[in-house]
Amino acid sequence: MEMLKKDTSMVDFMRITIVGCGAIGSRLAKAADEMEDVKRIYLVDVRKDIADSLANELKKAIVVDSVEDELYHCDLVIEASSQAAARDVAPRVVSRGVDMMIMSVGSLVDDDYRNMLFKTAKEHESKIFIPTGALCGVDGLRSASIDEIDSVVLTTTKGPKSLSGVQYLIDQGIDVDAIKEKTVIFSGTAREAVKIFPKNINVAATVSLLGIGFDKTRVEIVLDPEATNNSHELNVSGAFGKFVSHTYNMPEPENPKTSYLAVLSAISALKRICRNEWFGI
């Protein structure tokens, strides 16, 4: 039997599901609550008390137990939780013909999984949206990738708070609070970086997907004990020429592992999706 997909072409409002009610999810929900184009917000979190608390602050939100609970009534699901959550939720969403926004872009590092997800989305006429995140310059990289790109190097500098609790650093015996000068704590491929730093370097995944892939994109992570913000320097060279983009981000106040620009990027992306406006594509 042919699966029926609802026609949203004439709908002037949206119903969205947000998976994850942490720093990014809660800010996104609060912004969506003020958007005229958003009619209903469904909240999902493994910590139901956190979701309930957030819903109590909003006018349009209700808490559901699972992303599937309201999927047939939903126009867009936004993952704002973790790589593991994204890998679990995304296939279930797109296979039901619902659009998906993925914040944990590192979840797409596995080639077989990513190809399966994109194929499933195409088969069911679902769209996958990936915000630009905490990095400027990705528009230039996207355009440059139409022709030959010689190299893409991403250098990320973070303070100790942004890198605390990373298991890789603990295993290496690196005490981030004991480092007193700028120190390179990782140098390798984007594929390695995304797997080792799943909560810290989603921008590397975005850059890889837009450019020359996870294995050719080089990433360097620098710990700076004096850093008051997270910075990303993107160096790209190819047939188009060369460019350098340097972004200095303020940390998200409630989660220093996340750049505030990443949150703003998600809100901006939601506004564009709701309004069907695509300036700068």
Side-chain angles (χ1 to χ4, degrees):
M1 183 176 66
E2 182 180 1
M3 177 178 291
L4 296 178
K5 178 178 171 65
K6 61 179 178 289
D7 179 8
T8 59
S9 59
M10 300 300 292
V11 176
D12 58 359
F13 56 80
M14 291 189 69
R15 288 163 291 196
I16 67 173
T17 297
I18 298 177
V19 181
C21 299
I24 294 180
S26 61
R27 283 187 178 271
L28 187 54
K30 291 174 183 177
D33 202 49
E34 299 300 323
M35 295 181 190
E36 293 182 0
D37 300 302
V38 175
K39 178 181 181 179
R40 173 66 75 188
I41 304 167
Y42 305 110
L43 301 176
V44 182
D45 198 288
V46 292
R47 288 277 307 276
K48 193 171 183 297
D49 58 318
I50 293 178
D52 286 334
S53 177
L54 176 59
N56 289 335
E57 300 180 43
L58 308 176
K59 302 182 292 290
K60 305 173 184 177
I62 61 172
V63 177
V64 293
D65 294 326
S66 169
V67 71
E68 279 103 339
D69 284 1
E70 298 292 341
L71 210 47
Y72 279 124
H73 305 292
C74 183
D75 303 295
L76 174 71
V77 174
I78 304 173
E79 174 276 317
S81 180
S82 66
Q83 288 187 22
R87 284 192 296 269
D88 175 53
V89 168
R92 290 187 278 151
V93 171
V94 299
S95 66
R96 299 274 286 273
V98 178
D99 296 341
M100 180 87 200
M101 183 194 295
I102 299 174
M103 296 299 298
S104 300
V105 196
S107 63
L108 302 176
V109 67
D110 182 87
D111 298 333
D112 290 338
Y113 169 82
R114 183 176 68 254
N115 292 335
M116 174 277 294
L117 181 66
F118 289 175
K119 180 182 178 182
T120 302
K122 184 176 181 179
E123 289 174 347
H124 294 271
E125 300 181 18
S126 301
K127 300 181 184 69
I128 296 176
F129 300 102
I130 298 175
T132 54
L135 181 67
C136 299
V138 292
D139 54 341
L141 176 60
R142 180 177 61 231
S143 300
S145 68
I146 298 301
D147 205 331
E148 195 74 22
I149 293 181
D150 299 321
S151 68
V152 178
V153 180
L154 175 67
T155 302
T156 292
T157 302
K158 292 175 176 281
K161 288 184 179 179
S162 296
L163 292 165
S164 64
V166 175
Q167 191 60 46
Y168 167 80
L169 299 180
I170 295 172
D171 293 342
Q172 296 293 314
I174 299 174
D175 182 354
V176 295
D177 294 316
I179 294 177
K180 302 303 179 185
E181 59 185 19
K182 276 188 178 182
T183 303
V184 176
I185 58 171
F186 173 84
S187 181
T189 67
R191 191 180 299 278
E192 295 170 319
V194 168
K195 290 180 178 179
I196 292 172
F197 300 89
K199 297 181 180 180
N200 306 85
I201 198 74
N202 273 301
V203 289
T206 304
V207 166
S208 299
L209 291 169
L210 286 173
I212 54 178
F214 286 92
D215 296 314
K216 293 182 179 180
T217 302
R218 302 297 301 178
V219 174
E220 189 172 85
I221 300 177
V222 180
L223 191 155
D224 181 0
E226 303 297 324
T228 57
N229 55 29
N230 304 322
S231 75
H232 303 292
E233 181 178 291
L234 179 63
N235 285 266
V236 181
S237 64
F240 74 98
K242 298 181 179 179
F243 78 77
V244 178
S245 172
H246 208 147
T247 309
Y248 297 91
N249 287 296
M250 295 305 296
E252 207 286 326
E254 297 180 19
N255 181 8
K257 296 181 188 297
T258 298
S259 296
Y260 187 36
L261 186 60
V263 180
L264 300 179
S265 169
I267 296 171
S268 174
L270 178 58
K271 286 184 175 181
R272 297 177 76 197
I273 294 167
C274 287
R275 298 172 182 175
N276 202 25
E277 295 175 350
W278 306 105
F279 300 107
I281 64 169

